[in-house]
Amino acid sequence: MGTHTDAHIVWDWNGTLFHDVDAVIGATNAAFAELGLAPITLERYRELYCVPVPRFYERLMGRLPSQAEWEVMDAVFHRHYTEHRVRCGLADGVEDLLTGWVAAGRSQSILSMYGHEELVPLVEDFGISSHFIRVDGRTGPSGGSKAEHMVRHLDALRGTVDPRRTVVIGDAADDALAALHVGAHAVLWTGGSHGRAGLETVGVPVVDSLSEAVAQAERLAVSA
C-alpha cells in the first residue's frame, strides 16, 4: 500500500469494525416495545435510521418522542444492547486490514458514538488496541451527531494527523457528514446501519466491503 506515512484512517466502531447489527436490532426492538411499537426488521432499520436518534423514532412514530419517552427508550436500548453485544465480534477481515495499514507506515484511530468508558475496554478485549494512536468514544448524552466529537478527536491529533489526508470509514451518513465538517474524506460501507440508497445521498464513495473501503481510503488520502 505504499510508504506514505501521513495517510490516516478514523474508523467508526459500531457497525463498522464491530459487527453488532444483530445486537442493535434486538435492543431497538426492546426499546420500541416499551412504547408499544411493532418490531422492526433490519431492512426497515437501514431504510429509516438517522441521527439525531430521536428523529429516527419520529420516522417510526409519526412524531418526536417526548423527553420522558426518549429517556426510557434510550435506557432500555443500552441495557439490552449490553446484553446482546457479548455475542458479537469484529467484522470479517478487520484484523488483517488494521495490521496491513500499520505495516505500511500509516496511522489510524477510532471515533465512536458508543460511550467512551465502555468502548475502550471492549477494543482492548479484542486485542487490537495497539493498532490505533487514539481511541475516543462518546462523552455526554447519547443520540446526537458525531461532528463535534470529530472536531475534538482531530484536535487531539493535531500535529500528527492532517485532516486533508484523513479518511473516515463508517457505516452511517453521519460519519461522512462529520468527516466533511472537519475537511476530511469519507468512505461508507453497506454492512452496518444504513442501506446503500441512503448512504449514496451524501456524495462520498460507498462500498460493499471493508477491504474496498481501505483501498478507497488509500486513494483518497494519497491523492490529497
Side-chain angles (χ1 to χ4, degrees), residues 9-218:
I9 291 175
V10 178
W11 289 96
D12 174 55
W13 178 250
N14 303 93
T16 303
L17 292 178
F18 188 46
H19 187 63
D20 62 347
V21 172
D22 290 341
V24 168
I25 296 300
T28 297
N29 284 331
F32 287 175
E34 290 291 316
L35 296 185
L37 297 174
I40 190 171
T41 64
L42 173 58
E43 291 72 24
R44 185 69 170 157
Y45 182 92
R46 285 175 167 165
E47 178 186 347
L48 296 178
Y49 181 75
C50 63
V51 294
V53 177
R55 297 296 300 274
F56 169 51
Y57 292 137
E58 180 184 25
R59 291 182 173 186
L60 290 161
M61 300 168 63
R63 61 175 177 82
L64 279 171
S66 68
Q67 184 62 32
E69 288 172 330
W70 161 247
E71 289 174 0
V72 168
M73 295 171 78
D74 191 49
V76 170
F77 174 89
H78 284 96
R79 185 173 72 249
H80 283 268
Y81 176 82
T82 299
E83 295 172 2
H84 286 293
R85 81 172 191 203
V86 297
R87 295 187 290 273
C88 301
L90 297 176
D92 290 344
V94 158
E95 293 177 79
D96 288 342
L97 292 173
L98 298 178
T99 300
W101 189 260
V102 172
R106 294 165 177 161
S107 62
Q108 54 198 337
S109 60
I110 293 175
L111 176 63
S112 173
M113 294 300 282
Y114 192 44
H116 184 77
E117 298 303 320
E118 293 81 19
L119 173 67
V120 172
L122 187 55
V123 175
E124 291 174 350
D125 286 346
F126 280 111
I128 58 174
S129 296
S130 63
H131 295 308
F132 306 105
I133 61 174
R134 188 173 183 88
V135 175
D136 283 331
R138 186 198 76 251
T139 56
S142 63
S145 171
K146 188 178 264 189
E148 293 307 316
H149 295 271
M150 187 68 72
V151 171
R152 290 192 291 271
H153 184 72
L154 290 189
D155 278 350
L157 295 173
R158 185 173 297 173
T160 303
V161 169
D162 182 351
R164 295 170 299 176
R165 300 202 172 186
T166 295
V167 182
V168 176
I169 297 179
D171 68 318
D174 191 50
D175 292 306
L177 295 175
L180 298 175
H181 184 69
V182 295
H185 304 277
V187 178
L188 300 177
W189 91 297
T190 59
S193 61
H194 280 45
R196 174 175 283 275
L199 297 177
E200 288 180 338
T201 64
V202 188
V204 303
V206 177
V207 298
D208 295 320
S209 72
L210 290 180
S211 60
E212 292 178 80
V214 171
Q216 284 278 5
E218 178 185 14

